[in-house]
Amino acid sequence: NAGVMQNPRHLVRRRGQEARLRCSPMKGHSHVYWYRQLPEEGLKFMVYLQKENIIDESGMPKERFSAEFPKEGPSILRIQQVVRGDSAAYFCASSPQGTNQPQHFGDGTRLSIL
Amino acid sequence: RKEVEQDPGPFNVPEGATVAFNCTYSNSASQSFFWYRQDCRKEPKLLMSVYSSGNEDGRFTAQLNRASQYISLLIRDSKLSDSATYLCVVNGGNFNKFYFGSGTKLNVKP
């Protein structure tokens, strides 16, 4: 009974490169959420997706960041032309249909920008 | 005004103490409520859902007050292993959007 799977666990990129973070939701879950957490700070909502649809991207930076959740395969958070300030832990969570169901989180991807 | 507000703490308590956290939410249409626990550099983990009638899980008791729009978490007989950040989470209602509080840090001392 696999939980939310995120990979890679750790990702190192140089400034200007692209970072791709992947998230496979729990089986039966159709909603995916991405959060960012800086050291010693709280979780910041980024984007909420269902299959092939972005439901709410109010927390996404206007430039360089994008997310998708295709019909087949994992959800992808893509950061183009990374900068030092993108260094953070990125957590993915999933939930099933229905508003009374909690989210379950993956282990996160720690992104470090050199 | 933030959707969910929590006292950031830290709460420093001795082992065996009873400690309570409160959390307020702004959307009266919110339908579901949860407490999560986050250890340093780890992912948040679901501690318990919060039901209208209140619910208990071992040393942990959660209460919901819809009229005043707050939820609470009570931890009895604190253990060193309870040291963590406790996150209050509210589901927004219409869509499956979750609102997280900034967390309350608990330090249980020997």
Side-chain angles (χ1 to χ4, degrees):
Chain A
N1 212 8
V4 178
M5 304 298 291
Q6 286 190 251
N7 68 82
R9 289 290 300 275
H10 301 274
L11 182 61
V12 179
R13 285 288 178 265
R14 297 188 180 280
R15 281 177 293 173
Q17 291 184 320
E18 178 179 288
R20 281 188 179 234
L21 287 61
R22 294 174 191 77
C23 170
S24 296
M26 284 180 73
K27 188 176 180 181
H29 286 195
S30 56
H31 302 256
V32 166
Y33 310 78
W34 286 94
Y35 298 86
R36 177 164 64 175
Q37 189 170 35
L38 296 170
E40 305 303 322
E41 293 191 13
L43 282 172
K44 300 295 183 192
F45 167 79
M46 298 182 76
V47 63
Y48 161 33
L49 311 103
Q50 294 181 27
K51 282 286 186 182
E52 298 184 280
N53 286 309
I54 295 175
I55 306 301
D56 183 339
E57 57 182 346
S58 58
M60 288 279 269
K62 293 286 184 278
E63 297 176 349
R64 302 189 297 108
F65 284 71
S66 62
E68 61 176 6
F69 188 15
K71 189 176 180 181
E72 301 290 338
S75 175
I76 306 286
L77 179 67
R78 182 183 179 206
I79 311 172
Q80 295 178 289
Q81 299 174 332
V82 295
V83 301
R84 287 256 170 88
D86 296 332
S87 296
Y90 291 83
F91 290 103
C92 171
S94 71
S95 71
Q97 186 71 26
T99 56
N100 63 340
Q101 301 299 315
Q103 293 181 323
H104 296 271
F105 282 80
D107 291 340
T109 294
R110 273 78 181 165
L111 176 63
S112 298
I113 308 302
L114 302 179
Chain B
R1 185 185 171 187
K2 288 184 182 178
E3 295 281 347
V4 178
E5 301 217 45
Q6 292 183 253
D7 181 344
F11 284 60
N12 298 307
V13 303
E15 269 186 292
T18 295
V19 61
F21 309 134
N22 285 335
C23 159
T24 57
Y25 61 94
S26 61
N27 184 357
S28 59
S30 298
Q31 297 183 20
S32 49
F33 310 87
F34 311 94
W35 282 102
Y36 282 72
R37 169 198 169 121
Q38 187 175 26
D39 293 282
C40 187
R41 300 179 65 79
K42 300 278 188 141
E43 78 277 18
K45 291 186 177 177
L46 179 67
L47 181 64
M48 57 199 304
S49 301
V50 186
Y51 303 120
S52 296
S53 54
N55 47 301
E56 188 174 307
D57 183 1
R59 298 181 293 109
F60 298 84
T61 300
Q63 297 275 356
L64 168 63
N65 185 320
R66 283 191 184 272
S68 301
Q69 293 181 209
Y70 79 82
I71 66 175
S72 63
L73 177 68
L74 182 79
I75 306 175
R76 289 181 298 278
D77 189 22
S78 299
K79 311 290 184 192
L80 294 176
S81 57
D82 293 334
S83 297
T85 296
Y86 290 83
L87 303 169
C88 171
V89 182
V90 175
N91 185 293
N94 283 337
F95 293 101
N96 254 25
K97 178 111 182 252
F98 292 80
Y99 296 94
F100 281 73
S102 54
T104 299
K105 189 165 186 179
L106 172 65
N107 296 317
V108 181
K109 308 285 188 181

